[in-house]
């Protein structure tokens, strides 16, 4: 039944996504292709709940600014997710369905223009050159012209997060130069970005709409029920980032999500992601070494 519904939904979409369980939700009821075209803030993440951890600032921007629209894309099916508490006995199939419904609920709560769940097994995303993954991401990026794209950051320690980032960068680089997103940011989830040299940090104001933020994170009960309190941890990290941002300044935002600007990697003649990250790590090392040397 689930694959039937996914196929039906996709038939209304000019883009046919490759996996039969791909799911498209347009909370406002517009035609999917029009909803995608309207997206100004796009987040492409690995799993259900990553969007709500990494892109609260984008969701808030779209709520606060007329004419802005948020789009969420979850690339994997969540089959391998851990389960505990009331979810202990869930089969992979039931877990996939549960996580999909949780993501749909979050999209409604957050007023997203569109929520796409591509339902790819994690192994397919990790396989460089998987034709279905590549085709789906190419279609999504070609179907909108976002001013900012939120992706996973290249120093994340979750393999699937990094694989999704790499597939997204490949898709963006295949777009004609004039069709590439104006700004591409890598956001913290599994590993924060506080270690970046200050000049390399982008501060995303994730302290707005705190009640909404809590509701969005709590939508993922299957991930929280076993005691992994992502809802508390994500909000706590935002608060800590804001407080520890500058030792001599009062806090401007009540919550900050750190990001790194990946736009140069998406431009013709830009550095490879490997070279780009090596330079970030190098600048961090220099920052630490110089401070130590000052007081030696
Ligand atoms: Zn994730």
């Amino acid at each position: 039944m689930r694959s039937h519904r996914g196929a039906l939904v996709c038939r209304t979409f000019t883009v046919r996504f490759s996996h039969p369980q791909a799911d498209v939700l347009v909370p406002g009821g517009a035609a999917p292709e029009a909803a995608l075209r309207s997206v100004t803030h796009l987040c492409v993440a690995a799993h259900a709940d990553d969007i709500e951890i990494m892109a609260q600032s984008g969701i808030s921007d779209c709520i606060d600014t007329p004419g802005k629209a948020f789009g969420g894309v979850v690339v994997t099916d969540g089959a391998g997710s851990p389960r505990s508490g009331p979810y202990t006995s869930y089969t992979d199939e039931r877990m996939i369905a549960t996580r999909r419904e949780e993501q749909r609920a979050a999209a409604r709560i957050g007023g997203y223009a569109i929520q796409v769940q591509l339902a790819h097994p994690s192994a397919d995303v990790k396989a460089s050159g998987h034709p279905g993954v590549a085709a789906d991401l190419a279609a999504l990026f070609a179907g909108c012209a976002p001013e900012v794209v939120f992706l996973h950051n290249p120093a994340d320690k979750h393999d699937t997060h990094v694989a999704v980032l790499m597939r997204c960068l490949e898709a963006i680089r295949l777009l004609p130069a004039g069709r590439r997103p104006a700004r591409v940011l890598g956001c913290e989830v599994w590993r924060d970005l506080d270690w970046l040299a200050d000049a390399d940090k982008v501060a995303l104001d994730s302290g707005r709409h705190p009640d909404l933020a809590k509701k969005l994170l709590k939508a993922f009960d299957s991930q929280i029920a076993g005691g992994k309190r992502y809802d508390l941890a994500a909000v706590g990290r935002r608060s800590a980032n804001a407080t520890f941002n500058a030792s001599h300044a009062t806090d401007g935002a009540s919550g900050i999500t750190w990001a790194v600007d990946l736009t140069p990697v998406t431009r013709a003649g830009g550095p490879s992601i490997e070279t780009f990250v090596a330079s970030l790590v190098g600048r961090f090392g220099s920052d630490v070494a110089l401070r130590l040397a000052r007081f030696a």
Side-chain angles (χ1 to χ4, degrees):
M1 282 304 289
R2 279 182 287 105
S3 62
H4 183 59
R5 184 192 66 180
L8 267 181
V9 172
C10 288
R11 234 174 260 138
T12 67
F13 201 61
T14 50
V15 176
R16 202 58 207 268
F17 293 117
S18 64
H19 199 283
Q21 291 189 2
D23 185 73
V24 179
L25 174 72
V26 180
E33 62 271 24
L36 180 61
R37 214 178 308 122
S38 75
V39 167
T40 56
H41 294 59
L42 177 70
C43 181
V44 185
H47 307 108
D49 81 357
D50 286 330
I51 290 170
E52 291 68 27
I53 292 172
M54 61 203 266
Q56 174 65 25
S57 72
I59 296 165
S60 297
D61 284 346
C62 293
I63 289 170
D64 292 340
T65 317
K68 305 296 181 190
F70 187 84
V73 178
V74 172
V75 178
T76 72
D77 60 9
S81 55
R83 56 211 75 175
S84 53
Y87 302 92
T88 307
S89 63
Y90 276 34
T91 60
D92 269 0
E93 192 179 50
R94 196 170 172 201
M95 203 64 190
I96 289 169
T98 300
R99 296 199 71 176
R100 181 169 51 216
E101 287 309 317
E102 289 173 345
Q103 186 61 62
R104 290 168 67 95
R108 290 191 190 96
I109 293 166
Y112 304 173
I114 188 167
Q115 174 69 58
V116 178
Q117 301 191 70
L118 296 174
H120 288 292
S122 184
D124 288 354
V125 180
K126 290 174 182 165
S128 179
H130 186 277
V133 174
D136 288 353
L137 290 173
L140 282 165
F141 282 111
C144 58
E147 58 192 64
V148 56
V149 176
F150 303 91
L151 301 177
H152 289 294
N153 86 78
D156 196 289
K157 62 184 176 182
H158 194 305
D159 286 352
T160 311
H161 287 196
V162 174
V164 168
L165 167 69
M166 298 297 265
R167 301 293 88 81
C168 288
L169 292 175
E170 290 162 4
I172 292 170
R173 282 203 209 95
L174 286 173
L175 291 168
R179 291 277 302 127
R180 293 178 199 173
R183 198 172 195 215
V184 180
L185 300 174
C187 307
E188 51 190 5
V189 181
W190 283 104
R191 185 173 283 144
D192 65 41
L193 290 172
D194 184 56
W195 57 272
L196 286 170
D198 277 359
D200 291 325
K201 285 176 174 164
V202 176
L204 301 175
D205 180 357
S206 52
R208 292 165 290 161
H209 302 290
D211 291 339
L212 174 70
K214 272 186 215 155
K215 278 186 202 146
L216 286 170
L217 293 161
K218 278 181 177 263
F220 300 93
D221 186 64
S222 71
Q223 301 307 293
I224 293 169
K228 292 284 273 182
R229 295 299 303 269
Y230 297 112
D231 55 331
L232 301 179
V235 172
R237 174 158 63 189
R238 292 167 190 168
S239 173
N241 283 346
T243 299
F244 291 109
N245 179 23
S247 57
H248 299 297
T250 53
D251 302 340
S254 62
I256 287 177
T257 298
W258 291 123
V260 57
D261 189 351
L262 301 176
T263 313
V265 178
T266 67
R267 295 305 189 246
S272 69
I273 188 69
E274 293 85 355
T275 301
F276 186 77
V277 173
S279 69
L280 294 175
V281 174
R283 284 198 287 277
F284 169 70
S286 298
D287 184 76
V288 174
L290 281 171
R291 189 167 291 99
L292 287 171
R294 268 211 320 269
F295 303 108

